[in-house]
Amino acid sequence: MKGKLILENGKVFEGKIFGELADSVGEISFNTGMTGYQEMLTDPAGHGMMMVMTYPMIGNYGINTEDMESDKVQLKALIIKEDAKLPNNFRCEMTLDGFLRQYNVTGFKGIDTRYLTQIIRDNGSMKAIITAEDLTKKEIQERFNSFSNKNAVSEVSCKEKYEIKGEGKRIGVLDLGVKKSTLAYLESQGFNVVVFPYNTKAEEILNENLSALVVSNGPGNPADLTETIEELKKVIGKISVFGEVLGHQVIALALGGKVAKLKYGHRGGYPVRDMATGKIITTSQNAGYVVVELPEGMEMTHQGVNVKTIEGMKNDDLKVVGVQFMPDLYESPKDVFVNFLKLV
């Protein structure tokens, strides 16, 4: 179905709507990954986002139910140049188009996604609308005004505490939008994992006799999580704490650091320097915000290569570690998580 992508800055792209043939509004950004589109679609950190894939063909290895990072598609829309009509992979269970239809998510294709990426890079992330209608200026503005991602974490976090049984030490996960792969990795290491909703009180966390707490990744602005920040202040220093992406940012705020919105986010593969070894590691990122000022007493452990962003921090006395990237997926970034768990 023919449709339009309308950006908040007034730019309009004409293309085709696929997947769920419906209108959509959200915040638009781009992802530079050549693979991993299913992870990106189902990652809770993408809740409320419309994602542009810079790689021209998406869906070439299809979709399989084993690689879901949550129980549904989290994006508001997926924007691509071209979708693969005949995916080819022995694990493929359905096409990208069928997957979007199953979860009622809009797709948009047939445009120059690299030009669109340049616009986002130059102007920053902004709201966008996908529609098949001819909207008036008033209707466009009303749709932009209707979108808010302020309560994103409450929408993706678990509603009540649950446990994944294991023979090892008890480790907590504060669910701000945790990925299934993170929980699966902790389970594979033999930990007894206790998962808490984002608004759990510090007293309840500390009463669980945990060896450590992982503050997960998730969507939205960390500054909106005032309740979570206040409770973390009471937890830090009493048990070991590890933060990944949004969790890293929330920990920084709890300790008195500062966080700011990235112009267009870091989504996809991103090079990071390990300050201890000088080595460059390629990390998987899905973040719209970044720590811009370290809390007092924190040491920077990782730094961005393209832009000198703070990508990791630690305080050995407080037993706190935080990273701006997903540490549990690839071998070099995984070292950060593995070393933390060895301490536990």
Side-chain angles (χ1 to χ4, degrees):
M1 184 170 70
K2 289 183 178 180
K4 297 176 183 176
L5 171 68
I6 305 170
L7 303 184
E8 201 172 10
N9 69 351
K11 185 71 178 177
V12 179
F13 289 81
E14 294 186 356
K16 292 182 179 180
I17 299 174
F18 71 106
E20 178 71 5
L21 302 180
D23 289 7
S24 184
V25 58
E27 181 181 347
I28 194 168
S29 189
F30 61 85
N31 185 294
T32 58
M34 293 176 66
T35 61
Y37 52 83
Q38 183 174 345
E39 174 196 344
M40 184 268 302
L41 280 163
T42 58
D43 182 355
H47 185 80
M49 301 296 299
M50 299 173 115
M51 200 63 65
V52 181
M53 299 301 292
T54 59
Y55 191 72
M57 177 174 278
I58 300 298
N60 56 313
Y61 53 86
I63 299 288
N64 71 81
T65 53
E66 290 182 11
D67 290 346
M68 299 279 284
E69 288 291 0
S70 64
D71 59 3
K72 64 178 184 178
V73 176
Q74 299 287 348
L75 293 182
K76 294 297 292 290
L78 179 69
I79 300 162
I80 62 176
K81 183 174 183 181
E82 181 183 358
D83 63 326
K85 298 294 189 301
L86 296 171
N88 185 4
N89 187 279
F90 72 99
R91 299 177 69 226
C92 175
E93 298 174 24
M94 68 183 83
T95 64
L96 177 62
D97 180 61
F99 187 57
L100 295 180
R101 288 174 187 268
Q102 180 176 331
Y103 290 98
N104 304 314
V105 174
T106 304
F108 191 75
K109 65 179 181 178
I111 63 170
D112 186 343
T113 48
R114 297 197 175 190
Y115 175 49
L116 175 56
T117 298
Q118 285 182 321
I119 292 174
I120 299 168
R121 191 182 61 195
D122 293 340
N123 293 270
S125 297
M126 65 189 92
K127 293 178 184 177
I129 298 166
I130 294 173
T131 181
E133 302 176 46
D134 291 323
L135 302 176
T136 65
K137 287 185 178 180
K138 182 181 178 182
E139 288 172 330
I140 290 171
Q141 194 57 51
E142 285 174 349
R143 294 201 186 187
F144 284 144
N145 293 341
S146 71
F147 173 75
S148 172
N149 211 27
K150 189 176 179 67
N151 298 318
V153 169
S154 66
E155 293 171 7
V156 299
S157 178
C158 60
K159 304 308 176 189
E160 57 185 30
K161 180 181 72 175
Y162 65 94
E163 197 163 335
I164 302 170
K165 294 291 186 181
E167 299 299 323
K169 293 187 176 182
R170 289 170 68 78
I171 191 164
V173 175
L174 190 61
D175 179 10
L176 308 186
V178 68
K179 295 168 70 170
K180 284 187 175 182
S181 57
T182 299
L183 297 177
Y185 180 72
L186 290 171
E187 184 180 13
S188 73
Q189 300 306 299
F191 289 102
N192 193 90
V193 184
V194 186
V195 185
F196 301 93
Y198 79 101
N199 56 354
T200 304
K201 299 296 182 184
E203 183 180 7
E204 183 178 348
I205 293 172
L206 295 172
N207 284 344
E208 285 288 340
N209 192 31
L210 303 172
S211 296
L213 177 71
V214 174
V215 187
S216 84
N217 187 21
N221 184 349
D224 291 335
L225 300 173
T226 53
E227 187 178 358
T228 304
I229 291 166
E230 289 304 311
E231 295 306 314
L232 276 176
K233 289 179 181 178
K234 304 170 190 175
V235 172
I236 294 171
K238 295 187 172 67
I239 57 174
S240 301
V241 179
F242 186 96
E244 50 184 30
V245 201
L246 182 64
H248 156 75
Q249 298 156 18
V250 168
I251 290 170
L253 291 174
L255 291 171
K258 291 184 179 179
V259 173
K261 186 176 176 65
L262 289 161
K263 185 176 181 181
Y264 45 77
H266 290 163
R267 296 181 171 90
Y270 192 75
V272 168
R273 176 175 283 104
D274 184 328
M275 304 301 283
T277 65
K279 290 182 178 179
I280 307 298
I281 57 177
T282 300
T283 64
S284 174
Q285 301 207 12
N286 190 0
Y289 293 79
V290 68
V291 176
V292 293
E293 186 177 307
L294 282 172
E296 185 177 348
M298 296 295 284
E299 172 192 349
M300 182 168 67
T301 59
H302 296 80
Q303 187 179 55
V305 174
N306 297 339
V307 182
K308 304 299 183 185
T309 47
I310 298 169
E311 297 289 323
M313 62 181 186
K314 71 173 183 176
N315 182 308
D316 291 335
D317 293 332
L318 291 175
K319 297 180 181 177
V320 173
V321 178
V323 289
Q324 178 74 2
F325 49 87
M326 292 306 301
D328 53 347
L329 300 177
Y330 307 111
E331 287 310 312
S332 295
K334 191 185 288 185
D335 292 344
V336 184
F337 206 30
V338 168
N339 291 338
F340 175 80
L341 295 175
K342 281 181 180 177
L343 291 175
V344 174

